[in-house]
Amino acid sequence: MAEYSIAQFLEKTKQDDREHDYFEVEKPQMLEINLNNQSVWTKAGSMVAYTGAIKFEREGMLSGGLTKFLKKALTGEGSKLMKAAGKGRLYVADMGKKVQVLQLNNETICVNGNDILAHDQSLKNDITMLKSIAGVLSGGLFQVKLSGSGLVAITTHGDPLTLMVTPDSPVFTDPNATVAWSGHLVPELKSNMSFKSIIGRGSGEEFQMRFAGTGWVLIQPYEEVYMQTSS
């Protein structure tokens, strides 16, 4: 029964010390962030462990000025970010979802606010709102636009799929399965539901996000209900 020994278990599950990238996918559902006297934004509540000297600071409601304050007061986004600063290894995860790391090179992407696990402090972030009753009912109203150069880690339920958007082939997605998309795409929310079915959560068959133009959309094989939090 040597294969069930503690020594074998430790060898199988221990941290991989061969690489120490800034953002390192240590396990499919866990991100290791190697801080060297720098800061990073992480999703509040995502820290599962750390080593070294790292301090955590909740994002203030007034950070980013009055405009962001009003958006955060409305959306609850202000309670979702935590700044980690110092030197050491930080491990973050989110409910067993898979971690995907993207390198932005003077680029812009939009991500569902609930699906951001961590991002480089150098990236500019701004909350965007899809102004439609459909977005309110589906829970897919608020997204975060990230722009600049740096790393961002997002999470997905299962393995994601990227759909390419072309001028002659728009893409329609369920808001609750939509994770991220090209920053220059402006999705439109449309509804096929009747007034009689307005009560209750709309399904992907009743609400869709329409992406037109040239770009890409990232979806996951799961319809996630996003709960807004109060500050």
Side-chain angles (χ1 to χ4, degrees):
M1 294 294 180
E3 66 269 26
Y4 298 123
S5 69
I6 291 179
Q8 284 287 85
F9 176 77
L10 295 179
E11 181 63 28
K12 181 179 178 180
T13 61
K14 73 179 182 180
Q15 172 185 285
D16 187 351
D17 283 322
R18 291 173 296 180
E19 297 184 20
H20 298 293
D21 291 338
Y22 181 22
F23 278 26
E24 183 77 30
V25 180
E26 184 66 24
K27 298 292 181 182
Q29 296 86 10
M30 190 177 299
L31 176 70
E32 174 188 318
I33 303 174
N34 289 285
L35 294 174
N36 187 15
N37 295 319
Q38 59 200 128
S39 302
V40 65
W41 288 112
T42 64
K43 184 174 184 178
S46 64
M47 187 276 288
V48 294
Y50 72 91
T51 63
I54 299 176
K55 293 184 178 181
F56 300 90
E57 179 183 348
R58 183 169 172 170
E59 182 188 27
M61 284 293 292
L62 286 175
S63 63
L66 180 60
T67 300
K68 277 197 173 184
F69 169 76
L70 293 175
K71 289 181 180 179
K72 291 169 184 175
L74 175 63
T75 66
E77 289 289 340
S79 64
K80 292 184 178 181
L81 288 179
M82 187 80 69
K83 183 170 73 172
K87 186 173 184 179
R89 295 178 181 176
L90 172 63
Y91 300 90
V92 292
D94 185 16
M95 300 181 68
K97 295 163 69 176
K98 286 195 171 183
V99 178
Q100 321 288 335
V101 176
L102 304 174
Q103 170 73 58
L104 301 188
N105 295 306
N106 196 26
E107 297 168 292
T108 300
I109 64 170
C110 289
V111 185
N112 192 303
N114 196 57
D115 297 324
I116 295 179
L117 181 61
H119 72 79
D120 208 329
Q121 192 179 31
S122 63
L123 291 176
K124 178 183 176 183
N125 69 74
D126 187 36
I127 300 168
T128 62
M129 294 179 282
L130 298 178
K131 299 176 182 179
S132 169
I133 186 69
V136 175
L137 295 178
S138 69
L141 182 60
F142 305 109
Q143 290 79 38
V144 177
K145 179 178 285 188
L146 296 169
S147 57
S149 296
L151 293 168
V152 55
I154 63 178
T155 55
T156 63
H157 287 278
D159 294 322
L161 174 68
T162 298
L163 302 176
M164 304 308 297
V165 182
T166 61
D168 59 347
S169 183
V171 171
F172 300 83
T173 66
D174 182 332
N176 295 318
T178 307
V179 178
W181 59 89
S182 307
H184 59 276
L185 292 180
V186 181
E188 297 178 4
L189 280 171
K190 55 173 297 197
S191 171
N192 291 331
M193 75 175 187
S194 65
F195 181 75
K196 292 181 181 179
S197 63
I198 197 169
I199 299 177
R201 173 181 175 271
S203 69
E205 289 72 32
E206 295 172 334
F207 299 99
Q208 298 97 40
M209 296 174 74
R210 179 181 184 271
F211 295 88
T214 302
W216 53 267
V217 182
L218 186 70
I219 59 173
Q220 62 183 2
Y222 185 90
E223 294 184 48
E224 185 171 9
V225 180
Y226 304 105
M227 301 301 293
Q228 298 176 22
T229 58
S230 58
S231 303

